[in-house]
Amino acid sequence: MRRADPGGPPSADPGEPPGTVEPHELRDLDDVERAAAAVLPAGVWDFVAGGSGREHTLAANRAAFERVFVASRVLRDVSARDTATTLLGRPVRMPVAVAPVAYQRLVHPEGESASARAARAAGVPFTVGTLSSVPVEEVTAAGGTVWFQLYWLRERGRTLDLARRAEDAGCHALMLTVDVPWMGRRLRDARNRFTLPGRVRAAHLHGGATSAAHLPSADGSAVAAHTAEAFSPAVTWSCVEELRAATGLPLILKGLLAPEDAVRAARLGVDAVVVSNHGGRQLDGALPGIDALPAVAEAVDGACEVLVDGGVRGGTDVLKALALGANGVLVGRPPVWGLAAAGEAGARRVLDLLAEEFGDALGLAGCADVADARRLRTLRAPAVSGAGRPHS
């Protein structure tokens, strides 16, 4: 599936924007994935698509969704369906937000700016990350609802400075990622000796084009070396309390799987949690988010909103997440695949496909709106040994 480079190590520079695919030709997110794989250099594809360790959790995320089945309702008037709802008190056209994905200029020169415009056009929030390759001010200039994702940095003051910068730039929420004391062992990047090209940098961190992410690393992955320098392995609940006290923006914690952690977050005034194993990129063997979701949703019992990510590949997955207790989902890799395949139009196509498929799934499940979907019953089929292995 991955495009092979003709000799030499995998490149980290896609060159000119591909633009080789007509967005209307992409019929589902599998099509988008294949289109991105066909145009991206092998090293960049592995950086975006890969997971940690032997990638068991990466595979399990998708397999877990495929094990969930919905008990559709019938004899209901579904001639008019409403996919709209609210997330963190703001209206959205569907219960979806775009997750933070680092260094999007790796796949397209406009990077996060193009992705944010696509999200604005689709009527869903876009999350710009600490490791964005475009400054937050340029992302918020696109308009729409923008959330800012924070990592807790070794320089505590810089973390709080970034939070203030995001607030000043017009972001509507802060999302603290809490499952990355350091980067998981992403073996594809290590084997590729992956480094960032000089034109791609972490726009919110020091170092520019001469950071550790741009220099060969003895351990293989320059990006992992850079994050080890920058991220604090001592992020604790006291950091959450400090951030909660420092901002009036809605606060999201991303990377929780245990119900007791979600309950504690809600008690500290967190507005939403994201049930997540970081897309299979941190602990290999972590529980899939969709499997952890019901217990988390039951435990918080409405005290904060509950989102889920990891393996969302279609509108039916959004329906399943709602039925299992989520307020919405985050989608990460697919918009980046769309950006790689066809630029801003490709990222927008991904979100349009999700909206179309979700509306279709609502009606076929006998639901007129999001509230109906959250009342559906589900059944989880047993796992099949060896199923759901990751593909590349």
Side-chain angles (χ1 to χ4, degrees):
M1 178 173 218
R2 186 176 62 224
R3 186 178 73 175
D5 287 343
S11 168
D13 194 336
E16 292 300 311
T20 57
V21 178
E22 290 294 333
H24 69 269
E25 296 176 352
L26 303 171
R27 302 294 183 183
D28 64 11
L29 298 197
D30 288 342
D31 283 352
V32 182
E33 182 179 6
R34 284 188 289 267
V39 298
L40 287 177
V44 175
W45 171 257
D46 281 345
F47 176 73
V48 174
S52 63
R54 297 177 66 189
E55 301 189 343
H56 290 310
T57 292
L58 177 65
N61 281 346
R62 184 66 221 136
F65 265 106
E66 292 173 349
R67 290 198 303 271
V68 176
F69 292 86
V70 172
S72 303
R73 302 302 303 273
V74 297
L75 299 175
R76 293 177 167 190
D77 184 355
V78 291
S79 55
R81 298 169 307 286
D82 185 5
T83 62
T85 185
T86 61
L87 294 177
L88 296 176
R90 294 181 66 88
V92 293
R93 290 185 190 169
M94 60 178 166
V96 172
V98 178
V101 177
Y103 302 121
Q104 293 186 31
R105 288 190 65 222
L106 278 171
V107 307
H108 190 277
E110 292 189 90
E112 288 83 356
S113 293
S115 296
R117 292 193 299 267
R120 178 202 63 200
V124 300
F126 176 79
T127 313
V128 58
T130 296
L131 296 179
S132 171
S133 53
V134 174
V136 61
E137 294 82 2
E138 293 182 26
V139 174
T140 55
T145 297
V146 178
W147 299 344
F148 188 86
Q149 176 266 340
L150 278 170
Y151 288 112
W152 198 265
L153 305 176
R154 289 181 182 270
E155 298 179 60
R156 165 192 159 279
R158 282 195 51 74
T159 308
L160 298 179
D161 286 347
L162 273 179
R164 285 188 286 269
R165 179 176 172 181
E167 193 163 357
D168 290 345
C171 290
H172 299 92
L174 294 178
M175 176 186 292
L176 179 65
T177 295
V178 295
D179 59 352
V180 187
W182 54 82
M183 188 175 285
R185 297 186 70 247
R186 301 176 192 175
L187 298 181
R188 298 199 207 188
D189 294 346
R191 289 168 178 146
N192 291 336
R193 306 191 69 80
F194 186 75
T195 61
L196 294 183
R199 63 176 182 79
V200 178
R201 65 184 185 90
H204 303 123
L205 300 182
H206 293 310
T210 59
S211 74
H214 300 86
L215 304 173
S217 169
D219 293 330
S221 171
V223 174
H226 183 222
T227 56
E229 284 185 359
F231 295 178
S232 172
V235 56
T236 65
W237 288 105
S238 65
C239 302
V240 177
E241 293 180 84
E242 187 170 7
L243 186 58
R244 177 68 289 172
T247 182
L249 290 178
L251 180 59
I252 308 164
L253 292 195
K254 181 177 183 292
L256 287 74
L257 293 169
E260 54 269 35
D261 286 341
V263 169
R264 185 167 183 178
R267 287 175 179 165
L268 290 178
V270 167
D271 298 278
V273 296
V274 183
V275 183
S276 171
N277 58 39
H278 212 92
R281 292 161 76 83
Q282 284 302 105
L283 174 65
D284 194 26
L287 188 66
I290 197 67
D291 284 347
L293 170 62
V296 170
E298 181 179 7
V300 301
D301 192 26
C304 68
E305 293 187 19
V306 179
L307 309 174
V308 66
D309 72 5
V312 175
R313 296 294 181 267
T316 303
D317 295 335
V318 180
L319 181 80
K320 293 175 181 180
L322 295 175
L324 289 168
N327 296 92
V329 306
L330 268 64
V331 58
R333 290 178 177 95
V336 178
W337 295 336
L339 184 66
E344 179 183 335
R348 174 66 191 273
R349 178 62 173 164
V350 165
L351 298 172
D352 286 347
L353 283 169
L354 281 173
E356 180 182 336
E357 292 171 1
F358 177 55
D360 184 65
L362 271 181
L364 294 178
C367 300
D369 55 25
V370 168
D372 280 351
R374 298 194 73 200
R375 290 189 283 265
L376 289 170
R377 294 175 57 243
T378 63
L379 175 69
R380 184 173 276 103
V384 178
S385 178
R389 296 201 177 277
H391 51 278
S392 59

